[in-house]
Amino acid sequence: MFRALTRPQLTVDIVVASLFAVFALAATLVPGSSSAFGSAFVNTHIALLVALVLIGVFSVALALRRRSPALALAICWGGALLQMSFGLPPMPANVAIFAVLYTTAAYGTRRLFWTGFASAILGAVVISAYLIVPAFVRFSAPGDVAQLGSYVFAAVMTFVASALALLLAWTIGALVRTGIRARENRHAQQLAEAETAAEAQRTRVARDMHDVVAHSLAVVIAQADGARYAAASDPQAAAEALATISTTARAALSDVRMLLTQLRHTQADGPQPTLADLEQIYAHVRAAGVDLSVDVDPAPRGDVAASLQLAVFRILQE
C-alpha cells in the first residue's frame, strides 16, 4: 500500500504540501479573494472550521500522493463528501484532487489505475449534480420547460468541463506511467542482453579451456606413464618424456593465461591459435610415441577467417 521513497522525495512532498496549505488558507480566507467561500461563508463559524479541516485533509492527501496513492485518493473522497455534506462551494484546496488523480495513474497498481479513471468520471457526475441540482430546485418554477432545459444544458456542460479537467490530470499520469514502464523494460532488456553476452563469453572460454587442458593433460599423462615404465631400463627415454611433459605444460600454461586474459575487461583479447600452430599439436602427439602422419588436401588458402582457423585448431586439438 505504501511505496518506497527516498528521503529527498519525502522532504519535497512534505514541503509542497505545506506550501499548498498556506496558499489554500490564504486564498480561502483573505478578504476580497476570488474564492466563493470567502465571500459567502467567511462569517459562518462552523463553515470556517470545516474549511480549515478540509484544507488540512487535502494537504495531507497531497503529501501522501506518491507515498500511498490509494490512501491519498480515499482521503480526497472523504474530504469531498465532507465538503458537500456542509454545502460548501468549491475551494482552492480542491486543486489537490488533480495531483492525486495524476499519481493514481502514474504510480498506482493496475486496479488503482482504473479506480482513478472511474473516480474522475464519477467525480464529474457528482460535481455536476452538486452544483446544478440545488440551484434548479431553489430557483426553477414548476412546469417551466425552458428553464429546465437551460439547467440540463448547464449540468451537461459542467459535467463535460469537470470530466475533461479531471481526466486530463489522470491522462498525464497515464502517459508518465507508460514512460516509466518503457524505461523499465528497456533496462531489463539491456540487463538480459548483457547477461546473454556474458554467458556466451563464459561458454566460449570454458570450451577453449577444456580443449587446451584436456589435450595437454592427455599428453602429460601419456608421457608420465611412459617415463615411469622406462625409468629403470632406458633413462634417456625417461628424460625425453620429462622434457615433453615440461614443454607441453608450458604451452598449456601459456594458453590458459591467454584465456584468462580474455576474461579481464580492461585487457584486450590475446592472440588466437591459427592453422600454422597445428604443427605444435602434431609434435606433441609424436613425442608421446604415436606414429602420426598428416595429409592436408587441399592446402588452406591464406585468406581463411580467423574464427574458422580457431575452430579447426580446436577440433584437431580435441
Side-chain angles (χ1 to χ4, degrees), residues 16-316:
V16 169
S18 301
L19 295 177
F20 174 79
V22 174
F23 161 78
L25 184 62
T28 302
L29 300 180
V30 170
S33 66
S34 59
S35 171
F37 173 81
S39 60
F41 293 92
V42 71
N43 295 322
T44 304
H45 296 293
I46 297 179
L48 177 60
L49 180 60
V50 173
L52 295 177
V53 172
L54 289 174
I55 291 174
V57 167
F58 286 113
S59 298
V60 170
L62 188 65
L64 293 174
R65 71 190 188 281
R66 290 196 295 179
R67 178 67 169 153
S68 179
L71 181 59
L73 182 62
I75 292 175
C76 283
W77 269 110
L81 293 176
L82 178 64
Q83 181 178 349
M84 290 185 292
S85 65
F86 280 88
L88 299 182
M91 301 170 50
N94 297 137
V95 175
I97 297 175
F98 296 98
V100 172
L101 285 176
Y102 165 84
T103 53
T104 58
Y107 308 117
T109 61
R110 182 175 180 83
R111 178 179 298 179
L112 183 60
F113 176 82
W114 292 112
T115 301
F117 176 82
S119 296
I121 300 298
L122 181 59
V125 174
V126 172
I127 291 172
S128 302
Y130 179 71
L131 295 179
I132 303 301
V133 171
F136 172 75
V137 172
R138 182 180 304 176
F139 300 109
S140 64
D144 191 346
V145 178
Q147 194 174 20
L148 175 62
S150 64
Y151 276 104
V152 170
F153 177 78
V156 172
M157 291 297 98
T158 302
F159 169 78
V160 172
S162 302
L164 288 177
L166 295 174
L167 286 176
L168 177 61
W170 181 88
T171 302
I172 294 175
L175 293 176
V176 172
R177 182 191 189 94
T178 302
I180 293 174
R181 293 293 177 85
R183 186 168 62 251
E184 291 176 349
N185 291 338
R186 183 167 58 253
H187 180 65
Q189 182 179 2
Q190 291 174 350
L191 289 179
E193 291 176 352
E195 180 64 24
T196 301
E199 182 63 27
Q201 177 74 355
R202 287 193 294 267
T203 301
R204 183 182 66 83
V205 172
R207 182 180 62 248
D208 291 346
M209 186 74 74
H210 168 267
D211 293 341
V212 170
V213 174
H215 164 76
S216 301
L217 287 181
V219 174
V220 168
I221 292 172
Q223 291 293 324
D225 289 340
R228 181 163 56 88
Y229 291 127
S233 58
D234 191 354
Q236 181 63 29
E240 293 177 357
L242 292 175
T244 302
I245 292 175
S246 176
T247 302
T248 303
R250 284 190 176 89
L253 180 59
S254 176
D255 290 341
V256 169
R257 285 175 175 171
M258 178 188 65
L259 293 176
L260 294 179
T261 299
Q262 298 174 13
L263 294 177
R264 300 191 181 101
H265 298 289
T266 57
Q267 299 184 15
D269 291 346
Q272 297 291 342
T274 63
L275 296 180
D277 298 317
L278 289 175
E279 289 298 330
Q280 297 179 5
I281 299 180
Y282 304 153
H284 291 167
V285 177
R286 293 190 182 100
V290 178
D291 185 12
L292 179 64
S293 175
V294 180
D295 183 17
V296 180
D297 185 22
R301 305 186 305 273
D303 58 348
V304 179
S307 59
L308 182 58
Q309 295 189 50
L310 178 61
V312 172
F313 181 89
R314 294 305 185 199
I315 291 172
L316 292 179

